[in-house]
Amino acid sequence: MGDFQAALEDGKVAETLDPSWPKPHFRQGIALRALKRFDMAISAFAYGQSLDPNNPSWQQEIEETERQKEARKAARERKR
């Protein structure tokens, strides 16, 4: 398993170096999703999508994150 917190920090640093580059937002989104910070991950992917609107991967990542968010919510509700 990766060190997703470090990956998130790396993505933030890369973003400061070139705010117009979409890839740091992708990396941040992946790291945030792995850390179960789903809303923040969706925001990162959406911002990346605004920088790179012709890339369909952004929407796929948003949808995958939404699926994981809903699955986690359902699992928590079953435990009640």
Side-chain angles (χ1 to χ4, degrees):
M1 183 167 225
D3 185 350
F4 295 108
Q5 188 61 45
L8 176 59
E9 296 305 319
D10 287 347
K12 288 179 181 180
V13 170
E15 178 185 4
T16 65
L17 297 174
D18 185 355
S20 66
W21 192 33
K23 190 164 188 167
H25 301 285
F26 182 83
R27 291 186 178 182
Q28 288 176 49
I30 294 294
L32 288 162
R33 184 170 64 202
L35 294 167
K36 309 290 188 239
R37 297 189 214 163
F38 298 114
D39 291 333
M40 292 175 71
I42 291 167
S43 293
F45 290 132
Y47 190 76
Q49 186 177 38
S50 75
L51 298 173
D52 186 19
N54 295 323
N55 185 340
S57 295
W58 296 109
Q59 188 60 38
Q60 292 167 357
E61 295 301 334
I62 290 169
E63 290 170 6
E64 175 60 25
T65 305
E66 289 172 342
R67 277 192 291 276
Q68 288 186 27
K69 178 182 174 182
E70 288 304 313
R72 183 175 173 106
K73 181 181 175 183
R76 285 184 170 176
E77 290 175 359
R78 283 193 300 272
K79 287 182 179 182
R80 290 182 184 182

